[in-house]
Amino acid sequence: MKNTYIRIMSGICVMPLLTACGNTAETVRTADIFAMDTYMNIKAYGSGAESAVTDAEARIYELERTLSVTDEASDIRKINQAGGQPVTVSADTVSVLQTAQDMHYESSGALCISLYPVLRAWGFTTGEYRIPAADEIAELLENADDTQISADGQTVRCPAGMEIDLGAVAKGYTGDAVMEIMQVHRISSAIINLGGNVQTLGSRPDGSAWKVGITDPFAPDSLIGTVSVTDKAVITSGNYERYFTGADGCRYWHILDPADGYPADNGLVSVTVIGACGAECDALSTALFVEGTEQAVEHWRRSGDFEMILVTSDGGLLLTEGIAADYTAKTELPYRVVQRNEEP
Ligand code: AMP
Ligand code: MG
């Protein structure tokens, strides 16, 4: 979630659909929108679908205004411009901050929302890419320390000189908010795709599981495989999503390692997290990408409430045991299933 958001597309269509048994007309409503600097699609089935999708769209735009790092009136802008003074923010902002804070600790600092000035120096916030000098990065990193951000109820305080960005978590949180709206409207079958973050409610209208494609990071127009899920978020962080090639011929991508302020290069090119909570899966996918292969596997072993698919920079593919039976390969790429109790 970086640049000024431009809503270039807003399409809605309603169409009748026959369910698998062929005798009940089922309504499906879809909306394509552009928000949070990315394309999004919402699809809901059932009699309440029309109002559910309308309300979901409004909620997405509300969260965009609240959580954007560039919108002048957003909570995040207020925090970043407060010069160390306390700021009153929405319950949504507090909730996303809490998820980020928890993940900062769980990932030993790999998720670090106060890296924003370093991301800006690389041009990832504007698209005006450059390779900053090492001493520039080192100086900016001195102000990156999530442990200095505090919240007391809805009052947030961030030290002067520090700036935060919730881009690693906001889309997952937004997906959870959309799913809550679906449930309020008694929708039992819905799927949303928020810029590659897929979240599902229930199963498909015919009762079968949703099939979610996993992008091949080495050929982003193709899939390495699909996973079959119900009631799950499937959220990916990858080095192919936003990057530039420097004058030195190297690729520099948008997920930075707080340890040195350079693009995280710890053996992974993509991490897909499958779990119940979108915000947590989103925070995790970014954190695990930074942690790298071995630490990501350790993190999964001690956590126990998510599954993951890792693609390594040398072309390897690892699936955790809880998702292996639901994975269908779409390439010849061999994969290894990581067991929870496996000897290292
Ligand atoms: P995601 O696509 O969910 O992995 O989020 C990537 C976005 O999170 C980037 O575009 C940045 O805005 C931000 N980001 C990059 N590196 C980090 C990091 N180590 N911790 C937290 N946010 C980050
Ligand atoms: Mg993320």
Side-chain angles (χ1 to χ4, degrees):
M1 213 169 63
K2 288 154 283 282
N3 301 332
T4 309
Y5 306 138
I6 313 161
R7 286 171 207 145
I8 58 169
M9 222 165 101
S10 182
I12 290 168
C13 67
V14 186
M15 52 186 136
L17 178 100
L18 288 183
T19 57
C21 54
N23 55 11
T24 320
E26 175 89 83
T27 302
V28 56
R29 179 157 180 190
T30 66
D32 292 301
I33 62 176
F34 190 85
M36 299 184 171
D37 206 20
T38 194
Y39 292 97
M40 300 184 170
N41 175 267
I42 310 168
K43 189 180 270 184
Y45 297 85
S47 57
E50 191 157 353
S51 47
V53 171
T54 303
D55 288 358
E57 271 195 276
R59 182 79 170 113
I60 289 172
Y61 290 134
E62 178 190 38
L63 286 171
E64 177 185 55
R65 285 191 300 274
T66 306
L67 302 174
S68 161
V69 71
T70 50
D71 190 318
E72 286 293 334
S74 80
D75 280 354
I76 306 310
R77 267 295 263 243
K78 280 191 242 163
I79 294 170
N80 288 347
Q81 295 187 338
Q85 294 304 306
V87 176
T88 303
V89 297
S90 67
D92 287 318
T93 301
V94 174
S95 186
V96 182
L97 281 172
Q98 190 61 57
T99 302
Q101 200 90 319
D102 291 347
M103 192 55 62
H104 180 75
Y105 287 106
E106 272 174 48
S107 66
S108 305
L111 189 89
C112 179
I113 59 171
S114 55
L115 276 181
Y116 183 61
V118 190
L119 283 159
R120 186 169 48 210
W122 281 96
F124 287 115
T125 58
T126 57
E128 288 165 25
Y129 299 122
R130 59 189 273 272
I131 304 170
D135 56 353
E136 182 184 355
I137 294 178
E139 199 179 323
L140 293 171
L141 269 182
E142 282 173 22
N143 270 329
D145 180 1
D146 285 11
T147 63
Q148 299 301 308
I149 305 161
S150 62
D152 179 8
Q154 285 178 224
T155 304
V156 173
R157 196 189 287 265
C158 183
M162 184 180 288
E163 290 178 83
I164 61 169
D165 152 46
L166 297 178
V169 193
K171 288 205 296 281
Y173 180 83
T174 302
D176 293 336
V178 167
M179 289 312 183
E180 273 173 32
I181 286 175
M182 294 292 160
Q183 283 165 315
V184 167
H185 287 270
R186 299 185 180 280
I187 300 296
S188 54
S189 180
I191 185 163
I192 60 175
N193 185 338
L194 310 187
N197 282 9
V198 176
Q199 289 182 235
T200 63
L201 180 66
S203 53
R204 292 165 58 184
D206 66 3
S208 62
W210 302 100
K211 278 194 178 7
V212 180
I214 311 296
T215 299
D216 181 346
F218 298 106
D221 290 334
S222 332
L223 300 179
I224 49 165
T226 60
V227 282
S228 296
V229 291
T230 52
D231 275 322
K232 288 278 188 302
V234 181
I235 292 186
T236 300
S237 291
N239 74 343
Y240 58 90
E241 289 172 329
R242 187 168 300 213
Y243 65 90
F244 69 96
T245 304
D248 56 2
C250 295
R251 183 190 280 204
Y252 296 94
W253 50 86
H254 66 138
I255 302 175
L256 302 184
D257 190 337
D260 59 10
Y262 283 78
D265 194 7
N266 299 318
L268 293 171
V269 286
S270 95
V271 176
T272 299
V273 176
I274 301 110
C277 171
E280 276 174 34
C281 290
D282 199 357
L284 262 171
S285 69
T286 312
L288 297 172
F289 186 97
V290 174
E291 288 183 55
T293 318
E294 282 163 32
Q295 280 188 47
V297 169
E298 282 316 306
H299 193 147
W300 169 74
R301 287 204 170 110
R302 55 172 198 270
S303 161
D305 60 356
F306 69 92
E307 300 298 331
M308 62 183 187
I309 299 172
L310 306 180
V311 183
T312 59
S313 34
D314 57 5
L317 177 59
L318 277 76
L319 312 184
T320 51
E321 60 175 333
I323 197 67
D326 301 315
Y327 179 76
T328 305
K330 295 285 178 199
T331 62
E332 301 291 302
L333 201 64
Y335 61 86
R336 181 164 83 81
V337 177
V338 184
Q339 308 292 330
R340 201 165 287 280
N341 298 315
E342 196 173 284
E343 289 298 317

